Short mmCIF file of all heavy atoms in Angstrom, two decimals:
data_model
loop_
_atom_site.label_atom_id
_atom_site.label_comp_id
_atom_site.label_asym_id
_atom_site.label_seq_id
_atom_site.Cartn_x
_atom_site.Cartn_y
_atom_site.Cartn_z
N MET V 177 131.57 162.90 133.43
CA MET V 177 131.48 163.09 131.99
C MET V 177 130.01 163.27 131.62
O MET V 177 129.15 162.53 132.06
CB MET V 177 132.08 161.87 131.29
CG MET V 177 132.09 162.00 129.79
SD MET V 177 132.62 160.52 128.91
CE MET V 177 134.20 160.21 129.64
N SER V 178 129.76 164.26 130.81
CA SER V 178 128.38 164.54 130.45
C SER V 178 127.86 163.56 129.40
O SER V 178 128.64 162.84 128.76
CB SER V 178 128.26 165.96 129.89
OG SER V 178 128.79 166.02 128.58
N MET V 179 126.57 163.53 129.27
CA MET V 179 125.93 162.63 128.31
C MET V 179 126.40 162.95 126.89
O MET V 179 126.68 162.04 126.11
CB MET V 179 124.41 162.79 128.42
CG MET V 179 123.67 161.82 127.56
SD MET V 179 123.88 160.18 128.22
CE MET V 179 122.24 159.58 128.09
N ILE V 180 126.51 164.22 126.58
CA ILE V 180 126.93 164.64 125.23
C ILE V 180 128.36 164.16 124.95
O ILE V 180 128.64 163.65 123.87
CB ILE V 180 126.83 166.17 125.08
CG1 ILE V 180 125.36 166.58 125.07
CG2 ILE V 180 127.54 166.64 123.81
CD1 ILE V 180 125.13 168.06 125.08
N GLU V 181 129.24 164.27 125.94
CA GLU V 181 130.62 163.80 125.76
C GLU V 181 130.65 162.30 125.52
O GLU V 181 131.41 161.81 124.68
CB GLU V 181 131.46 164.14 127.00
CG GLU V 181 131.90 165.57 127.06
CD GLU V 181 132.70 165.84 128.33
OE1 GLU V 181 133.44 164.95 128.78
OE2 GLU V 181 132.56 166.94 128.87
N ARG V 182 129.82 161.57 126.28
CA ARG V 182 129.78 160.10 126.11
C ARG V 182 129.33 159.74 124.71
O ARG V 182 129.90 158.86 124.07
CB ARG V 182 128.83 159.48 127.15
CG ARG V 182 129.57 159.00 128.37
CD ARG V 182 128.83 157.86 129.04
NE ARG V 182 127.46 158.18 129.37
CZ ARG V 182 127.06 158.74 130.51
NH1 ARG V 182 127.95 159.04 131.44
NH2 ARG V 182 125.80 158.98 130.74
N ILE V 183 128.29 160.42 124.23
CA ILE V 183 127.77 160.14 122.88
C ILE V 183 128.84 160.47 121.85
O ILE V 183 129.08 159.71 120.92
CB ILE V 183 126.48 160.95 122.61
CG1 ILE V 183 125.35 160.42 123.48
CG2 ILE V 183 126.10 160.90 121.14
CD1 ILE V 183 124.10 161.28 123.49
N ARG V 184 129.50 161.60 122.03
CA ARG V 184 130.55 162.03 121.09
C ARG V 184 131.71 161.02 121.08
O ARG V 184 132.19 160.65 120.00
CB ARG V 184 131.06 163.41 121.50
CG ARG V 184 131.62 164.21 120.36
CD ARG V 184 131.91 165.63 120.79
NE ARG V 184 130.71 166.46 120.73
CZ ARG V 184 130.45 167.48 121.53
NH1 ARG V 184 131.31 167.81 122.47
NH2 ARG V 184 129.36 168.17 121.39
N ASN V 185 132.12 160.58 122.25
CA ASN V 185 133.21 159.60 122.33
C ASN V 185 132.83 158.28 121.67
O ASN V 185 133.63 157.67 120.96
CB ASN V 185 133.61 159.34 123.79
CG ASN V 185 134.36 160.51 124.39
OD1 ASN V 185 134.84 161.39 123.67
ND2 ASN V 185 134.45 160.53 125.70
N HIS V 186 131.60 157.87 121.91
CA HIS V 186 131.12 156.61 121.32
C HIS V 186 131.09 156.72 119.80
O HIS V 186 131.50 155.80 119.09
CB HIS V 186 129.73 156.28 121.87
CG HIS V 186 129.21 154.98 121.35
ND1 HIS V 186 128.43 154.90 120.23
CD2 HIS V 186 129.36 153.72 121.80
CE1 HIS V 186 128.13 153.64 120.00
NE2 HIS V 186 128.69 152.90 120.94
N ARG V 187 130.60 157.85 119.31
CA ARG V 187 130.51 158.05 117.86
C ARG V 187 131.91 158.06 117.23
O ARG V 187 132.12 157.45 116.18
CB ARG V 187 129.78 159.36 117.57
CG ARG V 187 129.32 159.50 116.13
CD ARG V 187 128.51 160.75 115.92
NE ARG V 187 129.22 161.91 116.44
CZ ARG V 187 128.64 163.00 116.91
NH1 ARG V 187 127.33 163.09 116.94
NH2 ARG V 187 129.34 164.01 117.34
N ASP V 188 132.86 158.70 117.89
CA ASP V 188 134.24 158.74 117.38
C ASP V 188 134.85 157.34 117.37
O ASP V 188 135.52 156.96 116.42
CB ASP V 188 135.10 159.68 118.22
CG ASP V 188 134.76 161.14 117.99
OD1 ASP V 188 134.06 161.44 117.00
OD2 ASP V 188 135.20 161.97 118.81
N ALA V 189 134.62 156.58 118.44
CA ALA V 189 135.16 155.23 118.52
C ALA V 189 134.56 154.35 117.43
O ALA V 189 135.27 153.55 116.80
CB ALA V 189 134.87 154.64 119.90
N THR V 190 133.28 154.50 117.18
CA THR V 190 132.61 153.72 116.13
C THR V 190 133.17 154.08 114.77
O THR V 190 133.45 153.20 113.95
CB THR V 190 131.08 153.99 116.15
OG1 THR V 190 130.59 153.68 117.45
CG2 THR V 190 130.37 153.15 115.12
N ARG V 191 133.37 155.35 114.54
CA ARG V 191 133.92 155.81 113.26
C ARG V 191 135.34 155.27 113.05
O ARG V 191 135.68 154.81 111.96
CB ARG V 191 133.94 157.35 113.23
CG ARG V 191 134.25 157.93 111.88
CD ARG V 191 134.14 159.45 111.88
NE ARG V 191 132.78 159.88 112.16
CZ ARG V 191 132.46 160.89 112.98
NH1 ARG V 191 133.39 161.57 113.60
NH2 ARG V 191 131.21 161.23 113.16
N ARG V 192 136.15 155.30 114.13
CA ARG V 192 137.52 154.77 114.04
C ARG V 192 137.50 153.28 113.74
O ARG V 192 138.25 152.79 112.90
CB ARG V 192 138.27 155.02 115.34
CG ARG V 192 139.22 156.19 115.27
CD ARG V 192 140.18 156.18 116.44
NE ARG V 192 139.54 156.03 117.74
CZ ARG V 192 139.04 157.02 118.45
NH1 ARG V 192 139.11 158.25 118.03
NH2 ARG V 192 138.47 156.80 119.62
N ALA V 193 136.63 152.55 114.44
CA ALA V 193 136.54 151.10 114.24
C ALA V 193 136.14 150.77 112.81
O ALA V 193 136.70 149.86 112.19
CB ALA V 193 135.54 150.49 115.23
N ARG V 194 135.18 151.51 112.27
CA ARG V 194 134.75 151.28 110.89
C ARG V 194 135.88 151.58 109.91
O ARG V 194 136.08 150.84 108.94
CB ARG V 194 133.54 152.15 110.55
CG ARG V 194 132.22 151.42 110.67
CD ARG V 194 131.13 152.05 109.84
NE ARG V 194 131.12 153.50 109.90
CZ ARG V 194 130.36 154.23 110.71
NH1 ARG V 194 129.53 153.64 111.55
NH2 ARG V 194 130.40 155.54 110.68
N ALA V 195 136.62 152.65 110.17
CA ALA V 195 137.74 153.01 109.28
C ALA V 195 138.82 151.93 109.31
O ALA V 195 139.36 151.56 108.27
CB ALA V 195 138.32 154.36 109.70
N ILE V 196 139.10 151.41 110.50
CA ILE V 196 140.11 150.36 110.63
C ILE V 196 139.64 149.09 109.91
O ILE V 196 140.41 148.47 109.18
CB ILE V 196 140.42 150.08 112.12
CG1 ILE V 196 141.18 151.27 112.72
CG2 ILE V 196 141.21 148.80 112.28
CD1 ILE V 196 141.23 151.28 114.23
N GLU V 197 138.38 148.73 110.09
CA GLU V 197 137.85 147.53 109.42
C GLU V 197 137.93 147.68 107.91
O GLU V 197 138.28 146.75 107.19
CB GLU V 197 136.41 147.28 109.85
CG GLU V 197 136.31 146.96 111.32
CD GLU V 197 135.33 145.85 111.60
OE1 GLU V 197 134.58 145.46 110.70
OE2 GLU V 197 135.34 145.38 112.74
N HIS V 198 137.59 148.86 107.42
CA HIS V 198 137.63 149.11 105.98
C HIS V 198 139.06 148.99 105.47
O HIS V 198 139.32 148.36 104.44
CB HIS V 198 137.07 150.51 105.68
CG HIS V 198 137.13 150.86 104.24
ND1 HIS V 198 136.27 150.33 103.31
CD2 HIS V 198 137.96 151.68 103.56
CE1 HIS V 198 136.57 150.81 102.11
NE2 HIS V 198 137.60 151.63 102.24
N ALA V 199 140.01 149.57 106.20
CA ALA V 199 141.41 149.50 105.81
C ALA V 199 141.90 148.05 105.81
O ALA V 199 142.62 147.63 104.91
CB ALA V 199 142.26 150.35 106.74
N LEU V 200 141.50 147.28 106.83
CA LEU V 200 141.91 145.88 106.90
C LEU V 200 141.36 145.08 105.72
O LEU V 200 142.04 144.24 105.15
CB LEU V 200 141.45 145.24 108.21
CG LEU V 200 142.25 145.60 109.45
CD1 LEU V 200 141.57 145.08 110.69
CD2 LEU V 200 143.67 145.06 109.36
N ARG V 201 140.11 145.37 105.35
CA ARG V 201 139.49 144.65 104.23
C ARG V 201 140.19 144.98 102.92
O ARG V 201 140.31 144.12 102.05
CB ARG V 201 138.00 144.98 104.13
CG ARG V 201 137.15 143.83 104.62
CD ARG V 201 135.69 144.09 104.42
NE ARG V 201 135.16 144.63 105.67
CZ ARG V 201 134.57 145.80 105.79
NH1 ARG V 201 134.40 146.59 104.77
NH2 ARG V 201 134.14 146.22 106.96
N SER V 202 140.62 146.22 102.76
CA SER V 202 141.23 146.60 101.48
C SER V 202 142.75 146.43 101.46
O SER V 202 143.38 146.69 100.44
CB SER V 202 140.85 148.04 101.13
OG SER V 202 141.16 148.91 102.19
N ALA V 203 143.32 145.98 102.58
CA ALA V 203 144.77 145.74 102.62
C ALA V 203 145.10 144.50 101.80
O ALA V 203 144.49 143.45 101.97
CB ALA V 203 145.23 145.57 104.06
N ASN V 204 146.08 144.65 100.93
CA ASN V 204 146.42 143.54 100.02
C ASN V 204 147.32 142.51 100.68
O ASN V 204 147.12 141.31 100.52
CB ASN V 204 147.10 144.08 98.76
CG ASN V 204 146.21 145.04 98.03
OD1 ASN V 204 145.03 145.12 98.32
ND2 ASN V 204 146.77 145.79 97.10
N SER V 205 148.32 142.96 101.40
CA SER V 205 149.32 142.02 101.91
C SER V 205 149.19 141.82 103.42
O SER V 205 148.72 142.71 104.13
CB SER V 205 150.72 142.53 101.58
OG SER V 205 150.99 143.66 102.36
N PRO V 206 149.62 140.68 103.91
CA PRO V 206 149.60 140.42 105.36
C PRO V 206 150.43 141.43 106.14
O PRO V 206 150.10 141.76 107.27
CB PRO V 206 150.19 139.02 105.48
CG PRO V 206 149.99 138.40 104.15
CD PRO V 206 150.04 139.50 103.15
N ALA V 207 151.51 141.91 105.53
CA ALA V 207 152.37 142.88 106.22
C ALA V 207 151.61 144.18 106.49
O ALA V 207 151.71 144.75 107.58
CB ALA V 207 153.62 143.17 105.38
N VAL V 208 150.86 144.62 105.51
CA VAL V 208 150.06 145.84 105.67
C VAL V 208 149.01 145.62 106.74
O VAL V 208 148.77 146.48 107.59
CB VAL V 208 149.41 146.26 104.33
CG1 VAL V 208 148.44 147.41 104.53
CG2 VAL V 208 150.47 146.61 103.31
N ARG V 209 148.39 144.44 106.71
CA ARG V 209 147.36 144.11 107.71
C ARG V 209 147.93 144.15 109.12
O ARG V 209 147.33 144.68 110.04
CB ARG V 209 146.79 142.73 107.38
CG ARG V 209 145.32 142.62 107.62
CD ARG V 209 144.75 141.35 107.04
NE ARG V 209 144.33 141.57 105.66
CZ ARG V 209 144.69 140.81 104.63
NH1 ARG V 209 145.45 139.77 104.81
NH2 ARG V 209 144.26 141.09 103.42
N GLU V 210 149.13 143.56 109.27
CA GLU V 210 149.80 143.55 110.58
C GLU V 210 150.05 144.98 111.06
O GLU V 210 149.83 145.29 112.23
CB GLU V 210 151.15 142.82 110.49
CG GLU V 210 151.04 141.32 110.49
CD GLU V 210 150.54 140.80 111.84
OE1 GLU V 210 151.04 141.24 112.89
OE2 GLU V 210 149.62 139.97 111.83
N GLU V 211 150.54 145.81 110.16
CA GLU V 211 150.85 147.20 110.50
C GLU V 211 149.57 147.93 110.95
O GLU V 211 149.58 148.67 111.93
CB GLU V 211 151.46 147.90 109.29
CG GLU V 211 152.16 149.19 109.61
CD GLU V 211 153.36 149.02 110.54
OE1 GLU V 211 154.05 147.99 110.45
OE2 GLU V 211 153.59 149.93 111.36
N LEU V 212 148.48 147.71 110.25
CA LEU V 212 147.20 148.34 110.61
C LEU V 212 146.74 147.88 112.00
O LEU V 212 146.23 148.69 112.78
CB LEU V 212 146.12 148.01 109.58
CG LEU V 212 146.25 148.73 108.24
CD1 LEU V 212 145.32 148.09 107.21
CD2 LEU V 212 145.96 150.20 108.39
N LEU V 213 146.92 146.60 112.29
CA LEU V 213 146.52 146.08 113.61
C LEU V 213 147.36 146.72 114.73
O LEU V 213 146.83 147.03 115.79
CB LEU V 213 146.64 144.56 113.64
CG LEU V 213 145.58 143.82 112.83
CD1 LEU V 213 145.89 142.33 112.77
CD2 LEU V 213 144.20 144.05 113.41
N VAL V 214 148.65 146.90 114.47
CA VAL V 214 149.52 147.53 115.46
C VAL V 214 149.06 148.96 115.71
O VAL V 214 148.93 149.40 116.87
CB VAL V 214 151.00 147.53 114.98
CG1 VAL V 214 151.86 148.42 115.84
CG2 VAL V 214 151.53 146.10 114.99
N ILE V 215 148.76 149.69 114.65
CA ILE V 215 148.29 151.08 114.78
C ILE V 215 146.95 151.11 115.52
O ILE V 215 146.74 151.94 116.41
CB ILE V 215 148.16 151.73 113.39
CG1 ILE V 215 149.54 151.90 112.77
CG2 ILE V 215 147.43 153.06 113.47
CD1 ILE V 215 149.55 152.24 111.30
N ALA V 216 146.06 150.19 115.18
CA ALA V 216 144.74 150.14 115.82
C ALA V 216 144.88 149.87 117.32
O ALA V 216 144.20 150.51 118.13
CB ALA V 216 143.89 149.06 115.17
N GLN V 217 145.76 148.96 117.69
CA GLN V 217 145.94 148.63 119.10
C GLN V 217 146.51 149.83 119.86
O GLN V 217 146.16 150.07 121.00
CB GLN V 217 146.85 147.42 119.27
CG GLN V 217 146.13 146.14 118.96
CD GLN V 217 147.02 144.93 119.11
OE1 GLN V 217 148.24 145.03 119.02
NE2 GLN V 217 146.40 143.79 119.34
N ARG V 218 147.39 150.58 119.20
CA ARG V 218 147.96 151.76 119.83
C ARG V 218 146.87 152.79 120.13
O ARG V 218 146.89 153.44 121.16
CB ARG V 218 149.03 152.35 118.91
CG ARG V 218 150.04 153.18 119.64
CD ARG V 218 151.13 153.67 118.73
NE ARG V 218 151.86 152.57 118.10
CZ ARG V 218 152.34 152.62 116.85
NH1 ARG V 218 152.16 153.68 116.11
NH2 ARG V 218 152.99 151.59 116.35
N HIS V 219 145.89 152.90 119.22
CA HIS V 219 144.81 153.87 119.41
C HIS V 219 143.81 153.42 120.47
O HIS V 219 143.18 154.25 121.12
CB HIS V 219 144.08 154.11 118.09
CG HIS V 219 144.73 155.16 117.24
ND1 HIS V 219 144.60 156.50 117.51
CD2 HIS V 219 145.56 155.06 116.18
CE1 HIS V 219 145.30 157.17 116.62
NE2 HIS V 219 145.89 156.33 115.80
N MET V 220 143.63 152.12 120.63
CA MET V 220 142.65 151.63 121.57
C MET V 220 143.10 151.77 123.02
O MET V 220 142.30 151.87 123.92
CB MET V 220 142.32 150.15 121.28
CG MET V 220 141.66 149.92 119.97
SD MET V 220 140.13 150.84 119.83
CE MET V 220 139.78 150.67 118.11
N SER V 221 144.41 151.76 123.25
CA SER V 221 144.89 151.82 124.64
C SER V 221 145.12 153.24 125.10
O SER V 221 145.03 154.18 124.39
CB SER V 221 146.16 151.03 124.78
OG SER V 221 147.15 151.50 123.90
#
């Protein structure tokens, strides 16, 4: 994997993590939070 690909992958992962954190912070109910965590785990694996 080239250096550029590694940087791009890292940047995408960081962006996804920030988006998930933002969604978790603005989620009102525990059910929504749970659903977001399930989706996040699916993306990480």
